[in-house]
Amino acid sequence: TQLLEQSPQFLSIQEGENLTVYCNSSSVFSSLQWYRQEPGEGPVLLVTVVTGGEVKKLKRLTFQFGDARKDSSLHITAAQPGDTGLYLCAGAGNYGQNFVFGPGTRLSVLP
Amino acid sequence: GAGVSQSPRYKVTKRGQDVALRCDPISGHVSLYWYRQALGQGPEFLTYFNYEAQQDKSGLPNDRFSAERPEGSISTLTIQRTEQRDSAMYRCASSLGGVLNTEAFFGQGTRLTVV
């Protein structure tokens, strides 16, 4: 079974601060996704990373996939209250395999 | 439909009753997944299908839980003899699958409460 760990579990910061959350596994994934989930809603995809060492930017969010494709990080610059939510990483195997989710990091950005 | 549809949205049942939760995936999506999610936690894998074939059911908690997808489209998750500990949000997701297996689209979920 492929397992994903996320850290920190909870994070509360002030508006304007920067933060990084981490996703780690002992398994290699063919791709890794980051999702954000708001209360009462299902997770929504933010980004997919596929290549080891890949860096993707989405406005103030920067995602990095580890060289060995076992870990990833999400960095948010100048956090805003709208960034508040549960951030989930999910790994996918090769052809047609399951998405395995991490436990999530609950981010709260205070105005 | 345009998105993944789950029904019912809410289900309250008495302990010992059977329940059936339905998932209608995005048209053309090969893969369908069932997850259970506790409040504030990540989705916990239950089972998944490629077309009508159940590929992995290792996440089903016990033999009271079963799932089917007989025609490779709509899926049903059945819980027999429900217990209070089964109360949770049950989420279904679908994806294109295959080499395009890069995003899972989630439904709104079914909130199950066993009383």
Side-chain angles (χ1 to χ4, degrees):
Chain A
T1 302
Q2 299 171 310
L3 296 176
L4 283 164
E5 299 177 344
Q6 291 189 245
S7 61
Q9 185 178 0
F10 299 98
L11 185 58
S12 183
I13 61 171
Q14 293 293 132
E15 182 176 3
E17 292 184 2
N18 302 332
L19 67 113
T20 302
V21 298
Y22 300 91
C23 174
N24 297 285
S25 175
S26 58
S27 301
V28 175
F29 293 98
S30 63
S31 66
L32 194 141
Q33 296 83 39
W34 283 92
Y35 292 77
R36 190 175 121 209
Q37 185 175 18
E38 298 189 19
E41 302 294 325
V44 176
L45 182 72
L46 295 173
V47 78
T48 299
V49 286
V50 178
T51 305
E54 183 177 4
V55 176
K56 282 191 174 179
K57 291 190 175 182
L58 184 66
K59 297 184 180 178
R60 294 177 293 101
L61 279 60
T62 302
F63 304 85
Q64 184 161 7
F65 201 12
D67 291 342
R69 291 187 291 137
K70 292 183 178 181
D71 55 85
S72 181
S73 63
L74 159 59
H75 181 80
I76 302 178
T77 304
Q80 299 177 359
D83 295 329
T84 294
L86 180 67
Y87 287 82
L88 297 159
C89 65
N94 294 315
Y95 183 95
Q97 289 186 3
N98 181 28
F99 285 96
V100 175
F101 281 82
T105 292
R106 179 159 294 285
L107 173 65
S108 178
V109 182
L110 306 175
Chain B
V4 178
S5 178
Q6 291 187 247
S7 60
R9 289 290 306 277
Y10 303 93
K11 177 69 176 179
V12 180
T13 189
K14 290 185 177 180
R15 187 177 54 185
Q17 297 292 307
D18 299 349
V19 295
L21 312 181
R22 175 187 164 119
C23 174
D24 194 349
I26 294 173
S27 178
H29 276 196
V30 168
S31 301
L32 184 148
Y33 316 86
W34 283 101
Y35 295 91
R36 183 167 64 178
Q37 188 172 23
L39 193 63
Q41 296 293 315
E44 173 195 3
F45 168 72
L46 296 177
T47 185
Y48 89 103
F49 296 81
N50 282 338
Y51 299 102
E52 72 283 356
Q54 191 171 21
Q55 298 292 323
D56 185 346
K57 57 180 181 179
S58 64
L60 296 176
N62 51 61
D63 60 8
R64 294 186 297 106
F65 288 73
S66 63
E68 63 175 8
R69 193 187 185 197
E71 298 180 359
S73 179
I74 293 170
S75 176
T76 303
L77 176 69
T78 301
I79 309 174
Q80 296 179 312
R81 306 181 302 280
T82 52
E83 301 177 5
Q84 286 186 326
R85 60 177 171 159
D86 299 332
S87 297
M89 174 69 83
Y90 289 83
R91 293 199 184 276
C92 173
S94 70
S95 75
L96 285 166
V99 295
L100 299 176
N101 194 31
T102 55
E103 180 175 2
F105 294 83
F106 282 82
Q108 294 282 50
T110 294
R111 167 73 63 189
L112 175 66
T113 302
V114 182
V115 298

